[in-house]
Amino acid sequence: MSKRIITLGTWKGKQIEWIVLKKENSHLLLITKTNIGNSRMYSDKGDNSWRRSDIRAFLNGDFFNKAFNYDEQKLIINAYLSKPEGTKDNVFILSSGDVLEMNENK
């Protein structure tokens, strides 16, 4: 089964290709087709929570603001993540539970 690929945003001068993982009503869950960066998950600050992670700050800060223009940003719906810590993000990394759930629903 082939996956649907869409383009949205640009990073380092190239269009970003996204694989559609899931569709619910008019909402899509996407994952980048290629790696967009090499930011660390955690700094040496001692707090290893997603809420305070370096990668979360990068994804929802520099990446979100530079990769997507205003109209594209309006298309991205905040994800309210109940775990960990009830965070709300524009861009996030799938949890191991998300990946397992998607594999079970294939």
Side-chain angles (χ1 to χ4, degrees):
M1 178 174 133
S2 65
K3 292 281 186 180
R4 181 173 167 211
I5 307 290
I6 65 170
T7 58
L8 180 68
T10 57
W11 189 248
K12 297 186 178 180
K14 297 180 183 175
Q15 287 189 318
I16 305 170
E17 293 185 311
W18 301 86
I19 301 168
V20 178
L21 295 177
K22 186 174 170 182
K23 181 178 180 185
E24 285 185 12
N25 302 316
S26 62
H27 300 125
L28 301 175
L29 178 63
L30 308 172
I31 189 168
T32 56
K33 189 174 176 185
T34 57
N35 185 1
I36 55 148
N38 59 355
S39 185
R40 295 184 318 184
M41 184 70 168
Y42 303 111
S43 68
D44 297 328
K45 297 175 197 166
D47 183 351
N48 289 342
S49 66
W50 171 250
R51 180 181 297 251
R52 303 215 190 291
S53 70
D54 293 348
I55 191 75
R56 178 176 184 240
F58 164 73
L59 289 173
N60 289 281
D62 280 348
F63 176 71
F64 182 76
N65 293 315
K66 293 177 181 175
F68 307 107
N69 64 38
Y70 176 76
D71 291 330
E72 292 169 331
Q73 288 178 359
K74 290 192 308 185
L75 295 172
I76 298 171
I77 299 169
N78 290 124
Y80 293 91
L81 308 174
S82 59
K83 294 181 183 176
E85 302 105 19
T87 57
K88 177 180 86 169
D89 295 316
N90 296 307
V91 183
F92 60 94
I93 296 173
L94 294 175
S95 70
S96 57
D98 293 331
V99 174
L100 289 172
E101 179 184 326
M102 287 191 317
N103 283 331
E104 290 172 0
N105 294 331
K106 279 187 174 181

